[in-house]
Each structure stands twice: as structure tokens, then as C-alpha cells.
């Protein structure tokens, strides 16, 4: 197997523990987002997408919107809307509302 990345503590991230790190970094990013520490939240979300590009993380688009990167926000929200609709088979209304606001 191939190492996907390394964690902040030097541990190896591989196919067996990738979801663990996705959960850790997602929660870390959401906490930072709630604290309005946007640049730090962006770094956490970047780590998530680095090890799992197809992760459902619609708050990444919201964060990019808050940072004023409206084009990237719209792209992220559109991709996450498709991920949500594919996974849950229902409309991703919140993602689409924010995407429309960003466009």
C-alpha cells in the first residue's frame, strides 16, 4: 500500500486510517470556522481534500465565501451539492443556495 500523506504528529496516513484523519481535520476546521479563524479553518479543510478529494465538506465553500473567494466558493459548493445528492438521493438545497449567492 502507498502512504497518502503524513499527519501532524508524524504518523502515516494510509487507506486504513484515512477516514480517521478526515474526521479529525473536518472537526478541527469546523471548530476554527465557528471561532472565525478562517485561515486556520482553510488549512484544516485543505488537509481533508488532500487525502480525500471526494470528501463531502460543504462548509469549505461557505468558508471560501467568507474569505471573499466567490468563484472558488461556488465551485466547492456545486461539487459538494452533487456529492450530497449522489450520496443521499435528495436535493442539496443549502449548498445550492450558498452557491447561487457566491455566483
Amino acid at each position: 500500500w502507498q502512504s497518502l500523506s503524513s499527519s501532524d504528529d508524524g504518523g502515516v496516513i494510509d487507506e486504513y486510517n484515512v477516514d480517521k484523519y478526515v474526521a479529525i481535520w473536518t472537526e478541527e476546521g469546523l471548530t476554527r470556522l465557528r471561532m472565525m479563524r478562517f485561515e486556520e479553518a482553510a488549512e484544516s479543510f485543505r488537509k481533508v481534500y488532500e487525502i480525500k478529494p471526494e470528501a463531502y465538506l460543504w462548509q469549505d465553500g461557505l468558508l471560501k465565501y467568507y474569505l471573499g473567494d466567490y468563484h472558488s466558493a461556488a465551485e466547492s459548493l456545486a461539487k459538494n451539492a452533487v456529492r450530497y445528492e449522489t450520496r443521499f438521493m435528495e436535493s442539496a438545497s443549502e449548498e445550492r443556495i450558498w452557491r447561487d449567492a457566491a455566483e
Side-chain angles (χ1 to χ4, degrees), residues 9-92:
D9 63 7
V12 173
I13 301 170
D14 58 31
E15 63 187 280
Y16 302 106
N17 65 5
V18 67
D19 289 332
K20 170 186 152 185
Y21 286 99
V22 166
I24 290 169
W25 288 330
T26 297
E27 187 57 38
E28 181 180 89
L30 293 174
T31 298
R32 291 172 172 172
L33 179 60
R34 286 189 292 273
M35 295 170 67
M36 298 189 340
R37 292 165 50 184
F38 297 144
E39 295 299 332
E40 293 174 27
E43 178 62 19
S44 296
F45 293 164
R46 184 197 59 74
K47 289 179 187 178
V48 170
Y49 283 126
E50 183 178 297
I51 64 170
K52 192 170 184 177
E54 75 284 0
Y56 172 69
L57 184 57
W58 75 272
Q59 295 88 344
D60 174 66
L62 184 64
L63 173 63
K64 289 175 179 170
Y65 182 89
Y66 288 154
L67 289 170
D69 187 356
Y70 303 117
H71 179 74
S72 294
E75 285 183 348
S76 179
L77 288 158
K79 288 177 185 176
N80 277 286
V82 170
R83 290 178 188 127
Y84 181 91
E85 292 167 351
T86 300
R87 183 174 177 186
F88 299 110
M89 305 305 272
E90 56 183 65
S91 180

Side-chain angles (χ1 to χ4, degrees), residues 65 70 74 78 98-103:
Y65 182 89
Y70 303 117
W98 277 103
R99 186 220 46 220
D100 291 349
E103 289 185 324

